[in-house]
């Protein structure tokens, strides 16, 4: 009989549903954006267009992720204004 695979993302998913988890996710996204923007600046300093394009392409999903988390936080604030 085959064993069932453990769902390792379940604890993180439960944490992310709460306000603390959303704030933690937003903070990590913000740090990743800062790190990626430094990489873009370094790549632009070398005047290598391919490296710059790669750094910018890596930055876009991070910005999108941060925007999605912010939208979730704003939605929570609209649902429950006295708790925010």
């Amino acid at each position: 009989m085959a064993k069932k695979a453990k769902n390792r993302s379940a604890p993180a998913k439960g944490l992310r549903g709460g306000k603390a988890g959303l704030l933690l996710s937003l903070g990590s996204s913000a740090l990743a954006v800062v790190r990626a923007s430094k990489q873009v600046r370094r790549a632009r300093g070398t005047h290598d267009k391919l490296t710059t394009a790669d750094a910018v392409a890596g930055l876009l999903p991070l910005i999108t992720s941060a925007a999605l988390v912010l939208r979730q936080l704003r939605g929570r604030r609209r649902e429950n204004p006295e708790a925010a």
Side-chain angles (χ1 to χ4, degrees):
M1 226 187 283
K3 288 175 79 176
K4 233 182 183 182
K6 288 185 179 180
N7 186 359
R8 296 182 189 265
S9 66
K13 196 173 190 180
L15 177 66
R16 192 170 181 171
K19 188 173 182 178
L22 286 173
L23 290 174
L24 183 64
S25 179
L26 181 61
S28 64
S29 292
L31 286 174
V33 167
V34 168
R35 215 171 109 201
S37 64
K38 286 181 182 179
Q39 183 182 2
V40 169
R41 273 188 260 136
R42 270 186 261 130
R44 289 186 69 197
T46 64
H47 302 294
D48 183 6
K49 290 181 181 180
L50 186 59
T51 305
T52 304
D54 182 46
V56 169
L59 185 63
L60 294 175
L62 297 172
I63 292 170
T64 304
S65 171
L68 289 171
V69 172
L70 276 173
R71 183 174 68 180
Q72 286 182 344
L73 281 172
R74 286 183 186 153
R76 283 180 162 269
R77 195 174 301 149
R78 285 187 199 127
E79 289 173 3
N80 198 0
E82 64 274 353

